[in-house]
Amino acid sequence: MSFEKPLSRRSFLSFSALTAASALAGCASTSSAPGVQPVAFRVPRLFQTTPAPTDAELEVMYGPIEDGGFLIPAVPYQQIDPRFYRQQVIDPTGQASGTIVVDTPSRFLYLVQPGGTAMRYGVGIGREGFAWSGNGVIQWKQKWPRWKPPNEMVARQPELTKYSIANGGMEPGLKNPLGARALYIFSNGEDTLYRLHGNPEWRSIGKAVSSGCVRLLNQDIIDLYDRVPQKTPIVVWQ
């Protein structure tokens, strides 16, 4: 497993200014693996890592999990680009410890840790994931959330009517597009409609897909959920 090329903190922090917030559609994917629909995206940047996780560690990290009455299947991590494995890295963000940073173009999410390191997770980005950037907080968190596609999405896809807001949404479960956990982002007291959430489609990690916000493997969103409290600051870069 090769190491990634280092990039200076100065080069990283020269990244262009964040775009303004805008309205989002529903944070979900209606495609089913392996039929993920790619959309165009920029080549990700590479950053310096600490020692990569071993095969034994990966077997534990991405093995099957029984959670909330559901059995989350093992992830075939050997089929995912190793840089998107959950791992501790040299912090490239310059943010305060405890801050979540979503680097949208590079398909990485960082949780900044004390001592100059960060926990890094690979993510998939849906179309709605490109629609908001800036500073916010994790206003609330939910285990096994219901998925309620907005009315605009239901109008485009009438087959989703049974999961509409009026009908109470989709029951939690392994097929629910929000996965095992959801973190809800607010900015200036307003819901951004931008979510960090679990993902039943492991093939979408590291890719831009047809719909959704920021998706992590279910094993990774559970790990992140347990590490961050409500009101955790978050920064999203586009």
Side-chain angles (χ1 to χ4, degrees):
M1 200 176 295
S2 60
F3 289 94
E4 302 180 47
K5 299 179 182 178
L7 183 69
S8 71
R9 182 182 297 271
R10 181 179 298 275
S11 297
F12 185 91
L13 294 179
S14 64
F15 187 66
S16 59
L18 304 175
T19 57
S22 61
L24 301 180
C27 286
S29 171
T30 55
S31 61
S32 59
V36 175
Q37 300 297 318
V39 297
F41 62 91
R42 287 176 283 179
V43 176
R45 297 183 295 279
L46 303 180
F47 305 115
Q48 185 177 13
T49 68
T50 58
T54 66
D55 286 340
E57 291 171 329
L58 291 167
E59 289 286 348
V60 174
M61 288 164 53
Y62 295 122
I65 300 175
E66 186 174 357
D67 181 88
F70 301 102
L71 181 60
I72 300 171
V75 174
Y77 63 87
Q78 302 91 338
Q79 300 183 50
I80 298 175
D81 189 322
R83 64 184 170 164
F84 295 120
Y85 298 159
R86 184 199 324 160
Q87 57 191 293
Q88 191 176 53
V89 300
I90 306 302
D91 174 38
T93 72
Q95 299 294 319
S97 176
T99 303
I100 294 173
V101 179
V102 179
D103 182 357
T104 302
S106 295
R107 310 296 184 265
F108 290 138
L109 180 150
Y110 297 92
L111 175 59
V112 182
Q113 299 175 319
T117 64
M119 187 61 69
R120 189 180 75 188
Y121 306 82
V123 301
I125 306 293
R127 185 180 298 112
E128 288 79 14
F130 292 98
W132 184 82
S133 62
N135 299 326
V137 297
I138 302 301
Q139 186 71 18
W140 61 292
K141 314 186 302 177
Q142 189 170 0
K143 297 181 178 181
W144 294 103
R146 299 180 73 90
W147 176 52
K148 299 177 181 180
N151 294 332
E152 294 82 1
M153 179 178 285
V154 174
R156 295 194 305 267
Q157 300 173 263
E159 68 274 14
L160 299 180
T161 300
K162 59 184 176 180
Y163 303 130
S164 69
I165 296 171
N167 288 328
M170 180 188 284
E171 291 283 343
L174 296 177
K175 295 184 179 181
N176 187 300
L178 294 182
R181 304 285 190 275
L183 307 180
Y184 298 78
I185 303 171
F186 281 55
S187 182
N188 297 319
E190 299 289 335
D191 187 356
T192 65
L193 303 181
Y194 197 90
R195 316 288 189 234
L196 312 177
H197 61 85
N199 170 34
E201 298 177 3
W202 59 265
R203 292 177 178 85
S204 67
I205 297 301
K207 297 180 174 64
V209 293
S210 60
S211 186
C213 288
V214 177
R215 58 180 69 186
L216 291 79
L217 296 170
N218 275 324
Q219 284 84 344
D220 284 348
I221 193 67
I222 290 173
D223 181 84
L224 178 66
Y225 183 101
D226 290 341
R227 291 176 185 268
V228 298
Q230 290 185 188
K231 306 300 183 181
T232 292
I234 181 168
V235 181
V236 177
W237 291 330
Q238 297 288 3

